[in-house]
Amino acid sequence: MDPVIIVGAGPVGLSLALALARQEVPSVVLDEGPGKDEQRPARTVVLPEDTAALMERLTGLPLGEYGLRWTGWRSMRRKQVIREVAFEPPGAEQDRPGGYGSTLERALDDRTEAAEEPRPVEGPAPLHIAQHVLTGALREAIAGERLVRVAVESRLDLLEQEPSGVTAHTRGPNAIWWRGSHLVGCDGPRSTVRKLLDIRFPGRTAVERHAVAALRTELPWTGEALLHRMPPWRTSGPSGGEVTARPLPDGVWRLDWLLPGKDLVTPELLVARIRETLAGWGTTPAYDLLDTGVHTVHHRLARRWRSGRVFLAGDSAHLLGALGTQGLDEGLRDIDNLAWKLALAWHHGPHEALLDSYQSERRTAVAARLRAADQALPLLRGGGGLRSYVPGSARGQEALLADGHLGRGPLGAPGTYGASTLAPAPTEAAVPVGTEPGAPVVDVRVTAEDGSFVRLRDRLGRGSLLVVLVAPGTGVWERKHWVSAGIMPRLAAAVTALPHPAELLVAESYPGAAAHTVLLIRPDGHLVTALGGVRPADLYQAAEATLGGRAAAKAAASAG
């Protein structure tokens, strides 16, 4: 069968190629460049724990050694510290309840209370890494991957579809026609794929602008990121000015200044802003300026993410990034959602309802994040509007901004797919746990089928469903003593009978789950359902729905 054609060799396109290869699907990556990436220290990405874990699975590298996991986060307003957060050290294990606020109002109330009583530790730290370093790690992993071919200096200019596949033509030194089973456009904001499909890309231009600088220096907050609003040395601009400092390895910091209007950023202005900021934080230290730039935030959302055998992912499908949210993070969630569905269709033939769910799930999730940002921006940048919206001090503003930066709340939390067409029908066997159906699961320690202890996230991305039995006490016994006892034989038989390959795992505990709870988890780590005990029929129906069976049946009934 023909490979999947991936247009674009940025982090999203390269990650998709590796994700497909992990599921034995070949791909061709069309790279319009020379196969090398420009080193830009001021162009960095912040990845929450789950997408950072995804990148480590795909690259096979400990990316914490290439980037930096922050030790903490603090928010300041003028000279006052509003909120301080400490993160778990790398490798720490802590069960965290799932679920996020569903409305901006609730999030503001909850986060305001949290800001007044900061917790000493708030989960794993995000990973801050230069984008060219991340891309280089992906390229290194692809270099040894037999199922991925990268075609450099190959720019797409024609695209044709037919029921059995896709044909793409590239121009350049190696102009050629490429034949593929499917095609995925990961070619950025000016996507050629999107334009060839005549898909509209509406939205807002220049929602925010930031001056950016990467410099090597010493700041008072070693290893901690900082959001400083209305610094005392600045009183002009929106909210009196705003600067963010994020540490990187080797004493490098990325500094971002929110820019008012469309003012021209000259080198002299940027150097003055650097010196002013460093002086405001204490005695001006020596610094080595490594890179500068202007980051302009756009908010756009493609009308369609699928057209026949062609899909859009990453910046070709959406643009976002105000209030600290990271566009690359959402792009990586796109490919995590799409890869297992494409792999299943590639190996087993048409699964139209399953492939359709990519657009409905991911577009809905990104649209909700954009709506939350558009709702919050006038309140946060309008100078006091938040006070009339939610009673209380301005602490709520900083807490809301911090949530966006740290991948939490309506501005930063990962999307959930509870209303997906792949969701199983309600059943009396379903029981509540700490994770809502459709939300990403918590990373807990589990026992694999070979008796080894692994992290739950380590088993994701292989194309198999995961079935997790919560069985307290099993962790202290060898697997041979309990694998044939109690409910295990019946559950193992039920897992073997599922309509798709599944791996049976056992966990000592899971947040909010009682003993003998059975979790069904998708290959991308989202919870399908939690059942009270071994219910083979309910487990089978939930697995069938996850593969698009329920949605396909509804579509057939509607057509009939």
Side-chain angles (χ1 to χ4, degrees), residues 70 72-87 111 114-116 118 122 221 224-232 241-245 281 323 380 394-406 408:
W70 302 334
W73 168 276
R74 67 176 60 204
S75 300
M76 296 181 65
R77 185 180 178 88
R78 296 189 176 92
K79 295 183 179 181
Q80 182 183 7
V81 176
I82 300 296
R83 186 185 189 192
E84 290 184 271
V85 171
F87 296 118
R111 300 305 184 232
E116 294 169 353
E122 289 198 7
W221 313 284
E224 293 187 8
L226 168 74
L227 170 66
H228 198 165
R229 303 191 76 207
M230 301 184 70
E242 179 179 308
V243 58
T244 306
W281 287 336
L323 305 180
L380 295 169
R395 289 174 178 265
Q397 296 185 8
E398 276 69 26
L400 183 63
L401 279 168
D403 280 348
H405 282 280
L406 299 177
R408 303 170 183 176

Side-chain angles (χ1 to χ4, degrees), residues 298-322:
H298 307 289
H299 280 178
R300 295 188 178 276
L301 188 65
R303 293 289 191 192
R304 292 179 291 130
W305 290 26
R306 182 190 182 191
S307 178
R309 289 177 171 268
V310 181
F311 301 82
L312 300 178
D315 286 351
S316 65
H318 51 76
L319 293 176
L320 69 166

